[in-house]
Amino acid sequence: MSAGLVRRFTEALPAILADVELLVRAESPSSDVDALAASADLVTRVGTRLLGVEPDRIGPHLRWRLGDGPPRVLVLGHHDTVWPIGSLGTHPFSVRDGVLRGPGCFDMKTGVVMALHAIAALDDPAGVTLLVTGDEELGSPSSRGLVESEAAGCAAALVLEAAAGTSLKTARKGVSRYEVRVVGRAAHAGLEPELGVNAAVEAAHQLLAVAALSEPARGTTVTPTLLGAGTSGNTVAAHGAFTVDVRVTSAAEQDRIDRRVHALKPVLPGARLEILGGPNRPPLPASASESLFALARRLGRALGLEPITGVPVGGASDGNFTAGVGTPTLDGLGAAGGGAHADHEHVLVAEIPGRTALLTALLAACLH
C-alpha cells in the first residue's frame, strides 16, 4: 500500500461525505424501534451499493459476510446513537471550515461509512465480515452474542469507534453496572421516627461502602451515580436505591468488585438489601491490540501518514467483547474529532481520507 491509496480516498471524499450525510440525517436513537429500522434500511442501501451484496438482517443488526471462505477479519460498527428524534433541529448536519457536525456523526456514523468505503476498495474482500449493530449505546443487550460469535476464530477485529482525538484506542476498561436497592420501614418523621427503618440512611451507608472499593492505583473506579429514596418530606424513607458504574483494567479486578458488591450487608437493624447487576463488558487489555497496533504504525508510515499514536481509554465498546473471546482487537479506527454524546460532537474532515486508507491497508494485510 502506498500514498496513492490516500489520494484515492481524497478524491472520493465528496462521495464519502454524501454517505455520511445520509446516515446522520436518518436519526436512530437506540430505543426507537421504528427509527432504528429506518436507519438499518438506509445502511443496507448504502452498503449494498458499495459492496454489491445485501446484508443479513438480524433485527436492527446488519451482517455482511463477504466471499465463500471462512471469516478472517471482523469489521465492527454500530448505527444507533444516543440522540433523540428531533436532534437534527438543534444540531443540524453541516460541513463548514473542515468540520462536519450532526447528531451521531462522530459516534459513529462516519466510522460506518469509512468501513463500507474501505472494504469496497479491496481487490478481494473475501474473508471480511462487516457487522453493524443497532444497540451498542444500550450496552449491546441483543447483539453481544452475535458480536462474540462473529469474532471467534478471526485473526483480527477492527473496530470503527471514533478515535481519541486522532489516536487509536489500544486498551479499554471493563465495565460493570449495579443497582443497590434498600428496603426499610416507613414511619411518621415527626411523631414516631424511631419506629421506622430509614432506607435513605441505609443507602448512604452502602453508597460510602461501595465508593470505598475504588483502587485508583489499579485503574479501578467504583462510582455511585443515580440516587433516590423516600416518598415525602415528613416520612421515614421505606425504600431507596442507587446505581453504580465500575471501570476496571483487569478481569481479576472486575471479579473482586463483583464479589464485594454482592457481599454488601445492611448496617441498620431491620434494613434489607437487594443487589442487581454485574459485569457488562470485559476489559480490552493492551495485549489484545499490541500486534495490530504495531502493524498499523508500519502501514501508516508506508502510507505517508503522520505517526500513528495509541492511547488507553476508560470507555467501553463492542471491542471489549471481541477481545474477551480472544480475538486480537484494534479500536478507534473510525472518525477523528471529538464531542461524542455532546453538543460539540464533530468530525475532522481532513482526517477521513488517511484514516480510511489506513483501514483499507489493515484489512488487506490481515487477509493475507
Side-chain angles (χ1 to χ4, degrees):
M1 295 289 177
S2 69
L5 190 58
V6 178
R7 184 166 57 251
R8 173 177 179 172
F9 286 114
T10 300
E11 293 169 353
L13 187 56
I16 293 172
L17 295 179
D19 287 336
V20 173
E21 180 175 3
L22 286 173
L23 266 60
V24 171
R25 290 189 182 278
E27 295 180 297
S28 53
S30 306
S31 57
D32 190 316
V33 174
D34 292 337
L36 274 182
S39 173
D41 289 343
L42 180 58
V43 176
T44 294
R45 291 198 297 273
V46 173
T48 301
R49 165 167 52 81
L50 290 168
L51 303 181
V53 293
E54 293 188 355
D56 301 318
R57 185 80 169 256
I58 308 159
H61 319 309
L62 305 171
R63 178 183 63 198
W64 279 269
R65 285 179 175 167
L66 302 174
D68 298 324
R72 298 178 63 188
V73 181
L74 174 64
V75 180
L76 189 56
H78 65 88
H79 67 100
D80 63 313
T81 77
V82 300
W83 294 88
I85 294 294
S87 295
L88 281 169
T90 54
H91 299 75
F93 177 87
S94 67
V95 181
R96 296 191 188 94
D97 300 323
V99 178
L100 184 153
R101 301 182 188 277
C105 65
F106 183 62
D107 186 15
M108 58 164 291
K109 293 192 175 186
T110 300
V112 171
V113 171
M114 289 168 58
L116 289 167
H117 280 264
I119 296 168
L122 294 171
D123 292 334
D124 181 5
V128 173
T129 297
L130 171 62
L131 181 60
V132 182
T133 65
D135 66 348
E136 193 274 344
E137 298 292 2
L138 299 177
S140 308
S142 69
S143 64
R144 175 176 182 169
L146 184 61
V147 170
E148 292 175 334
S149 64
E150 294 299 325
C154 282
L158 305 178
V159 185
L160 270 296
E161 289 286 355
T166 59
S167 295
L168 303 182
K169 295 173 178 176
T170 53
R172 286 185 179 273
K173 288 187 176 184
V175 179
S176 300
R177 295 193 175 108
Y178 300 93
E179 182 181 8
V180 179
R181 296 179 179 177
V182 180
V183 179
R185 185 170 59 247
H188 194 291
L191 295 178
E192 45 191 14
E194 70 281 359
L195 297 183
V197 177
N198 199 318
V201 174
E202 181 64 42
H205 283 296
Q206 299 301 328
L207 188 147
L208 292 173
V210 165
L213 298 176
S214 288
E215 291 279 0
R218 300 183 186 180
T220 300
T221 59
V222 183
T223 307
T225 50
L226 300 175
L227 170 67
T231 55
S232 72
N234 63 351
T235 303
V236 173
H239 298 276
F242 62 93
T243 58
V244 185
D245 179 287
V246 178
R247 308 284 166 146
V248 297
T249 58
S250 71
E253 273 295 275
Q254 196 164 42
D255 290 342
R256 179 183 74 87
I257 297 299
D258 191 58
R259 290 194 303 271
R260 294 289 298 274
V261 171
H262 282 285
L264 291 171
K265 300 297 182 185
V267 173
L268 301 181
R272 292 186 290 112
L273 301 181
E274 182 180 5
I275 313 296
L276 305 177
N280 172 261
R281 283 183 167 95
L284 193 171
S287 58
S289 66
E290 184 176 10
S291 60
L292 288 172
F293 179 61
L295 175 60
R297 287 176 60 85
R298 293 196 298 272
L299 293 172
R301 287 194 294 269
L303 290 166
L305 302 177
E306 292 293 321
I308 303 298
T309 57
V311 295
V313 296
S317 80
D318 284 344
N320 293 65
F321 295 141
T322 62
V325 298
T327 301
T329 299
L330 186 59
D331 205 336
L333 286 161
H341 301 189
D343 288 340
H344 64 289
E345 182 171 9
H346 66 279
V347 170
L348 301 176
V349 173
E351 295 286 338
I352 292 175
R355 297 182 71 82
T356 309
L358 177 63
L359 176 61
T360 305
L362 275 168
L363 284 166
C366 291
L367 289 172
H368 295 97

